[in-house]
Amino acid sequence: MTVQNTILVDNRPPRSVQSSMTKLSGWAIVIAILAWSWEGADMRPMALITDAGNMATLAGDFFPPNFADWRLYLEEIVVTFHLAVWGTFLAVICAVPFGILSSENIAPWWIYQPVRRVMDACRAINEVVFAMLFVVSVGLGPFAGVLALWVHTTGVLAKLFSEAVEAIDPQPVEGIRSTGATVIEEVIFGVIPQVLPLWISYSLYRFESNVRSATVLGIVGAGGIGVVLWEMIRGFYFAQTCAIMILIIISVTAIDLVSQRLRKLFV
Amino acid sequence: MIQIKQLTKTFKNTKGLDNINATVESGEMVALIGSSGSGKSTLMRHICGLMCCDTDSGGQIEVLSRIMQRDGQLSKNARKVRTEVGVIFQQFNLVDRLSVMTNVLMGALGRVPTWRSVSNLFPPAERRLGMESLARVGMADKAWQRASTLSGGQQQRVAIARALTQRARVLLADEPIASLDPESSRIVMDILAQIHREDKITVVVSLHQVEYAIRYCPRTIALRQGRVVYDGPSTALTPSFLKEIYGSETEELFSPAVDNAMRHQSKNTQNQPAPAPAAA
Ligand SMILES: Nc1ncnc2c1ncn2[C@@H]1O[C@H](COP(=O)(O)OP(=O)(O)OP(=O)(O)O)[C@@H](O)[C@H]1O
Ligand SMILES: [Mg+2]
């Protein structure tokens, strides 16, 4: 037996046994979680078959779509767009300082820790929940939606922004620091030029997803196409519902495409 | 000009600097030599206040008779002191995405109020000084290019222009030529020698190759494993003397490029080329 053989015999089997063990236990955990969640999620696959007739009727009611009120729908979609624009814009403005303040390589721990926790909270709570709260405080309408998107998106973007800041090359920043610059100047001239393309890309991406979220906000009364959509579903006007959904799909897709193009320019 | 007392810096398990004591007088041009890992960069970073020495070690650095750091704590007016100390780095440390001119104007940050600088409203006099500084290093025609589009030697000249715009009275150059080819190295060293002569700027330059120290600097401080092993005239640095203080490390200091530096175009083996800037 050569030395090489011994090494093979010694090394290979334990390693592969170990990796297959981790794989197996990984799968076991996944299956256990799925099984545990079955009841809670009220899984009734048979209902798909027994209620198939119901669903077919419902689907049938959707067609042909009724575009009679298309002007109203378009107006509301534009409102939805406006709402997403302002919600995202305000969030970007706030995410810049909060993102920088929650970066380990810029702020001391007693600043970035609390800022991060606040941002975590903004992110953890869904826009719809914020929308309900703001509807209560500022009343029904798009402004409640703007506020909801603003708060939630600030939390999301601050995290993304700070991740970009933590990945910068520290050398140019030291170059600036060595001239006797203040911390603010270090950030503006040393950090921001490095992260700007990524920040713009993240902001546009969040704008896309905010347009999508904004269509839902109306359901809780926070303005936009969602309000109309909810009215139609509640009134069982499925042909109109279908028309609205088609318009949403078209406009959201168009916005996504444009925004994707823009993002490519920056990265 | 620069006073270093009892400077000790301990990294996790190694002594980066071990009780360094040195004084650099006004108007000197001093070389700092040593093999890789001898502590040149660490010492430079301490002098310009980018790094602090061990706490309660009694270590102290004064620049221009003002304390930069003491006992491991940066002095309160370290930022003010920094405005008078120009620093040139091995990797140039320019901001890639900004124009050459903006990079040079960074030298004025210490004098210009923050509200002006952040709104890019540098006073005309500062812009003029920036342009003059670029002209002195022969880079005026590149003022509006992005820094990232320049070669290493050109970036290093821009970094020198930044120090000139800073009106620095002390210039610390940490291996300014380690990432450059011999021709660019010569240009950069000539510019350093020239501004030293014309502007009476005190220069401390760390170098890998003894031959540059001998050619450009009357005095040399030699480091080995964080200690000063020689401090005196560069002319004394004969190969045999270096062998005495560095032993087997001598080869690294007397690279095969000794006098062939100008003849061999592509010698750049001392150090890795600049790493790619962090993905933006
Ligand atoms: N931030 C750090 N953390 C831990 N160790 C460090 C750090 N910086 C430097 N060192 C160590 O201190 C010693 C001196 O390093 P330094 O970079 O000052 O050497 P140098 O003379 O500049 O070398 P080179 O010619 O390679 O640039 C080395 O052993 C290095 O590993
Ligand atoms: Mg070094």
Side-chain angles (χ1 to χ4, degrees):
Chain A
M1 212 191 232
T2 65
V3 178
Q4 260 182 339
N5 269 334
T6 340
I7 289 169
L8 281 182
V9 172
D10 275 347
N11 263 348
R12 272 209 182 157
R15 198 185 290 160
S16 62
V17 164
Q18 206 183 20
S19 73
S20 64
M21 283 295 282
T22 23
K23 244 186 211 168
L24 261 177
S25 49
W27 280 113
I29 291 170
V30 171
I31 290 168
I33 290 175
L34 285 172
W36 176 55
S37 312
W38 182 269
E39 296 234 332
D42 184 27
M43 293 294 287
R44 290 174 292 128
M46 289 313 286
L48 284 176
I49 298 164
T50 52
D51 294 340
N54 261 344
M55 281 197 246
T57 325
L58 182 65
D61 288 343
F62 271 69
F63 292 98
N66 180 345
F67 282 99
D69 281 332
W70 64 273
R71 275 176 195 285
L72 170 73
Y73 304 155
L74 269 192
E75 266 169 36
E76 289 300 323
I77 284 178
V78 172
V79 169
T80 309
F81 177 81
H82 291 163
L83 190 160
V85 166
W86 271 98
T88 312
F89 173 74
L90 293 173
V92 170
I93 301 291
C94 295
V96 170
F98 284 129
I100 289 168
L101 290 178
S102 51
S103 305
E104 250 173 15
N105 52 344
I106 306 282
W109 68 269
W110 48 271
I111 290 185
Y112 75 73
Q113 283 296 354
V115 175
R116 276 187 194 178
R117 296 294 84 79
V118 173
M119 293 298 110
D120 286 349
C122 294
R123 209 164 49 243
I125 297 166
N126 192 284
E127 297 101 316
V128 177
V129 179
F130 278 123
M132 290 194 278
L133 296 175
F134 283 120
V135 164
V136 174
S137 54
V138 303
L140 290 168
F143 188 53
V146 170
L147 297 180
L149 287 181
W150 178 13
V151 175
H152 182 77
T153 310
T154 299
V156 175
L157 283 181
K159 169 122 204 259
L160 292 172
F161 282 10
S162 81
E163 273 172 11
V165 170
E166 284 173 358
I168 58 164
D169 178 2
Q171 292 185 331
V173 185
E174 288 191 342
I176 305 254
R177 185 177 308 155
S178 73
T179 67
T182 59
V183 178
I184 292 179
E185 289 164 335
E186 273 175 40
V187 169
I188 299 225
F189 292 107
V191 177
I192 298 207
Q194 291 192 57
V195 294
L196 196 60
L198 215 51
W199 280 10
I200 292 175
S201 166
Y202 287 150
S203 303
L204 284 170
Y205 178 72
R206 270 321 291 190
F207 172 68
E208 289 166 37
S209 77
N210 276 349
V211 173
R212 274 174 264 136
S213 306
T215 59
V216 184
L217 293 180
I219 294 176
V220 297
I225 188 69
V227 178
V228 186
L229 184 64
W230 184 229
E231 299 274 299
M232 295 303 161
I233 296 177
R234 267 201 311 195
F236 301 106
Y237 302 117
F238 293 124
Q240 284 86 338
T241 305
C242 183
I244 295 174
M245 284 167 67
I246 289 171
L247 289 176
I248 290 178
I249 292 170
I250 292 172
S251 47
V252 167
T253 310
I255 290 168
D256 276 11
L257 287 177
V258 172
S259 163
Q260 270 173 29
R261 278 279 163 84
L262 282 175
R263 277 194 282 143
K264 287 226 176 76
L265 289 181
F266 289 104
V267 175
Chain B
M1 217 28 64
I2 303 173
Q3 258 192 340
I4 303 164
K5 284 184 206 148
Q6 292 179 45
L7 196 70
T8 299
K9 174 71 177 182
T10 316
F11 295 113
K12 275 183 199 84
N13 35 29
T14 50
K15 272 232 153 70
L17 295 175
D18 192 355
N19 193 22
I20 305 268
N21 290 281
T23 305
V24 175
E25 299 301 335
S26 174
E28 274 194 290
M29 179 146 174
V30 181
L32 194 61
I33 63 163
S35 51
S36 186
S38 57
K40 302 182 297 292
S41 301
T42 309
L43 180 55
M44 289 288 200
R45 293 169 62 80
H46 276 84
I47 301 175
C48 62
L50 287 175
M51 214 182 234
C52 288
C53 64
D54 292 353
T55 45
D56 301 318
S57 58
Q60 174 178 317
I61 295 179
E62 273 181 39
V63 183
L64 295 152
S65 318
R66 283 185 290 176
I67 296 192
M68 180 67 103
Q69 58 173 293
R70 181 193 285 170
D71 271 346
Q73 280 229 310
L74 222 51
S75 127
K76 273 200 202 65
N77 50 5
R79 197 181 71 78
K80 272 267 158 21
V81 185
R82 277 194 202 125
T83 62
E84 310 221 42
V85 182
V87 186
I88 288 165
F89 300 85
Q90 181 181 337
Q91 306 300 348
F92 328 125
N93 293 18
L94 300 178
V95 186
D96 273 351
R97 303 182 63 92
L98 297 181
S99 72
V100 166
M101 188 59 180
T102 312
N103 268 291
V104 170
L105 282 172
M106 297 296 97
L109 288 180
R111 294 188 298 270
V112 174
T114 304
W115 71 266
R116 283 200 88 114
S117 62
V118 301
S119 43
N120 204 16
L121 292 172
F122 288 93
E126 301 292 359
R127 290 183 179 276
R128 243 186 339 265
L129 176 60
M131 209 60 198
E132 280 165 22
S133 308
L134 275 175
R136 286 186 67 186
V137 298
M139 294 293 297
D141 54 328
K142 301 274 196 302
W144 307 112
Q145 276 184 4
R146 268 195 186 193
S148 56
T149 61
L150 302 182
S151 73
Q154 292 172 328
Q155 293 197 34
Q156 200 58 293
R157 281 143 76 186
V158 172
I160 297 174
R162 178 170 74 189
L164 286 173
T165 306
Q166 206 179 327
R167 293 219 197 88
R169 294 170 59 196
V170 180
L171 190 63
L172 306 175
D174 185 17
E175 305 201 40
I177 56 172
S179 315
L180 305 182
D181 60 86
E183 176 60 14
S184 306
S185 298
R186 192 187 53 76
I187 295 175
V188 165
M189 287 306 293
D190 282 345
I191 292 174
L192 286 180
Q194 187 195 344
I195 64 175
H196 162 73
R197 217 172 35 241
E198 292 176 358
D199 301 23
K200 309 278 180 288
I201 294 179
T202 308
V203 179
V204 179
V205 50
S206 77
L207 294 165
H208 240 98
Q209 299 129 295
V210 177
E211 59 271 21
Y212 281 102
I214 297 173
R215 186 178 317 157
Y216 289 96
C217 308
R219 173 182 166 200
T220 294
I221 298 174
L223 288 180
R224 187 185 183 190
Q225 291 168 3
R227 290 199 196 143
V228 175
V229 287
Y230 175 76
D231 183 352
S234 305
T235 45
L237 299 170
T238 57
S240 57
F241 178 64
L242 281 168
K243 194 134 205 159
E244 209 175 288
I245 55 180
Y246 280 111
S248 56
E249 290 165 32
T250 319
E251 256 178 61
E252 204 189 320
L253 296 163
F254 262 116
S255 58
V258 195
D259 286 313
N260 315 344
M262 308 299 144
R263 264 175 275 152
H264 285 271
Q265 278 295 304
S266 58
K267 190 214 69 71
N268 188 15
T269 50
Q270 255 68 23
N271 247 295
Q272 297 309 311

